[in-house]
Amino acid sequence: MRLSPLFALALCASVASASIIPLDWVPKTGTQTRNYKLGTRSIAISSQNAGDYTGPITIGSSNVRVVLDTGSSNLAVAGSSCSCNGVTPYSMTGRNTGNPISVQYGSGSWSGTVYSDQVTFGGYSQTVDFGVITYQSTFFSPNSPYSGILGLAFQGIAENGIPPLLKSYGVGVIGLQLCRGNNGQESSAGRMALGSGDATNNGLYSGQINYTPLTGSQGYYTVTAQSANVAGSYAMGQFSTIIDSGTNSLVLPGTLYNALVNQIQSSTGSSLSSYSACPSLSSLPNLDVVFNDNYGNPFTLSIRPTDYCPNMNGVRRFDVSSNSQFHILGTPLLNHYYGVFDKTNRQVGFAPLSGCGNSFEVVKDAVVDGTTKENDTGLSSHAIAGIAAGSTLAVLAAVVAVIALLRRRGDKAAQEFQQMEL
């Protein structure tokens, strides 16, 4: 039967499900170099790529996985005509716009054509433009389990000026839970939450979310650190940094990098350089970065040795480097803190991670089209039961209210609704 518009609206409002997407972690080896835009210049940043966090996406009829990257803004996937090292391709059934697109990295590149097709991600679906990769050079590793990249930053840094996917969906806030275990892939996974309600009300973090405002206009999630401490001692003052889920390292100002290296050498007697093997973690210091919230109150984020010396194929490596122009706090920070990336209010929020054990278990059951076993929210079974019960009551309450309203109006739809199967 055809539902009355009033009932349909009430029902949709009461049963809207949380847009929480299971993520997988893909280990990688070797050094990755990517370019960041700084005005009219392009700055190459290298990192020892321990792995990437990927999520499921449907483009046309193709179910693939993409790397989730807050340091870029384009959606791009391998096309069926690409020699892309055996990755699962997009079928290229959409509309070819004929517009070329390309991205050059310091250690690789890809090029292709802009297509338009229906793209479904996290419960949202819309026809959008995106890049289809028809040529690549060292962008995909052999038999890569992901087929492309989903940029989550601002349109200002998007190639061809294409609106970011989430902007097309009208989503201005996301939350990222990027868990990283000590035992490699089996204990590394996560969640992505879409929308302000789901991103800030879930079981993916604990305590309070502390927000710091975005600064600058480069198109990245750039924030200003007020100071930094190494082993509890002051190391340097204010500096700007990008919060980037697609860079698996810390790229620090030279002063802070030297303070960290010197402290490690002082406490362990071992000299250390970028990507070299770390000495015993118990002898290494925390790196504490201080930010101001939107009201000027300071809060501190601690990056632990287990975060900046991640396990890479059985060896813990010092995933820290320095750069005089660009500074990045990548996954070593986000492996310890839940991140809320809020374009709407131009801020980034942080809270201690929670629920990582649930994420590890669920990703083992996840399939490429994003369906999972029953517990795919990162919440406890008790929380899920409570949510389910609450949702059921909300639906029943909405149904009762609508029927009463329709009866008062003498609308025949009330009788039709009572006869339909729920």
Side-chain angles (χ1 to χ4, degrees):
M1 62 169 278
R2 182 179 181 273
L3 298 180
S4 70
L6 182 60
F7 170 71
L9 180 62
L11 185 60
C12 289
S14 62
V15 300
S17 60
S19 298
I20 298 182
I21 304 161
L23 308 183
D24 201 357
W25 182 80
V26 180
K28 295 179 70 175
T29 58
T31 301
Q32 179 193 47
T33 304
R34 58 185 299 177
N35 284 355
Y36 290 82
K37 294 179 180 179
L38 186 62
T40 59
R41 293 176 293 159
S42 183
I43 309 299
I45 298 292
S46 296
S47 66
Q48 187 76 21
N49 201 327
D52 293 303
Y53 290 86
T54 70
I57 194 168
T58 299
I59 305 177
S61 59
S62 301
N63 297 317
V64 297
R65 297 193 74 87
V66 288
V67 173
L68 303 174
D69 182 18
T70 62
S72 67
S73 299
N74 287 92
L75 168 63
V77 291
S80 55
S81 64
C82 180
S83 297
C84 288
N85 284 334
V87 305
T88 301
Y90 160 60
S91 60
M92 299 177 69
T93 53
R95 180 176 64 87
N96 186 338
T97 69
N99 297 321
I101 184 171
S102 62
V103 173
Q104 175 69 48
Y105 299 90
S107 58
S109 64
W110 63 261
S111 60
T113 307
V114 176
Y115 269 64
S116 180
D117 206 342
Q118 191 85 5
V119 177
T120 302
F121 181 71
Y124 295 84
S125 189
Q126 188 165 319
T127 298
V128 299
D129 288 350
F130 57 93
V132 173
I133 301 170
T134 55
Y135 169 82
Q136 66 90 30
S137 173
T138 67
F139 181 70
F140 293 108
S141 55
N143 299 310
S144 169
Y146 60 85
S147 304
I149 188 168
L150 174 56
L152 301 169
F154 292 83
Q155 188 173 351
I157 59 172
E159 297 296 331
N160 291 37
I162 298 173
L165 177 65
L166 297 190
K167 180 178 182 180
S168 299
Y169 289 159
V171 175
V173 184
I174 63 170
L176 288 179
Q177 176 213 46
L178 304 182
C179 305
R180 181 73 194 278
N182 292 324
N183 301 316
Q185 186 175 10
E186 286 301 306
S187 57
S188 298
R191 288 287 185 281
M192 178 180 182
L194 303 184
S196 59
D198 293 326
T200 58
N201 294 282
N202 54 54
L204 308 181
Y205 67 92
S206 63
Q208 174 183 321
I209 300 175
N210 288 292
Y211 291 94
T212 192
L214 296 183
T215 54
S217 58
Q218 304 107 310
Y220 300 101
Y221 290 98
T222 304
V223 296
T224 298
Q226 300 303 312
S227 62
N229 303 320
V230 174
S233 298
Y234 177 86
M236 73 169 295
Q238 192 176 90
F239 65 96
S240 292
T241 182
I242 293 170
I243 310 299
D244 182 7
S245 66
T247 294
N248 295 280
S249 66
L250 304 176
V251 182
L252 304 177
T255 299
L256 183 54
Y257 174 84
N258 291 334
L260 180 60
V261 170
N262 290 340
Q263 176 60 37
I264 292 173
Q265 184 169 359
S266 174
S267 61
T268 67
S270 302
S271 59
L272 200 62
S273 59
S274 298
Y275 317 129
S276 62
C278 292
S280 172
L281 295 184
S282 62
S283 303
L284 303 186
N286 280 358
L287 170 61
D288 298 328
V289 184
V290 181
F291 295 93
N292 280 348
D293 67 14
N294 290 320
Y295 304 97
N297 302 311
F299 65 93
T300 301
L301 302 180
S302 294
I303 305 174
R304 307 162 301 178
T306 187
D307 300 318
Y308 65 73
C309 284
N311 188 331
M312 301 184 189
N313 298 315
V315 178
R316 289 195 172 274
R317 298 201 175 274
F318 187 55
D319 214 356
V320 186
S321 62
S322 65
N323 189 280
S324 61
Q325 298 173 300
F326 244 49
H327 313 127
I328 301 168
L329 299 180
T331 55
L333 175 69
L334 295 173
N335 287 155
H336 192 36
Y337 293 98
Y338 179 74
V340 177
F341 296 83
D342 185 347
K343 291 181 179 179
T344 303
N345 298 299
R346 293 193 56 80
Q347 59 186 0
V348 178
F350 302 94
L353 282 178
S354 182
C356 281
N358 290 339
S359 295
F360 300 154
E361 293 303 317
V362 170
V363 167
K364 295 177 184 178
D365 295 326
V367 295
V368 74
D369 65 358
T371 60
T372 65
K373 301 295 185 181
E374 290 183 3
N375 184 357
D376 67 349
T377 63
L379 303 174
S380 70
S381 58
H382 296 293
I384 291 171
I387 292 171
S391 298
T392 301
L393 291 174
V395 172
L396 292 175
V399 168
V400 171
V402 171
I403 291 175
L405 177 59
L406 293 178
R407 280 177 171 168
R408 285 197 300 270
R409 291 172 50 193
D411 198 324
K412 280 183 166 182
Q415 295 176 356
E416 295 175 354
F417 172 71
Q418 286 175 304
Q419 295 171 357
M420 70 176 288
E421 292 184 1
L422 295 180

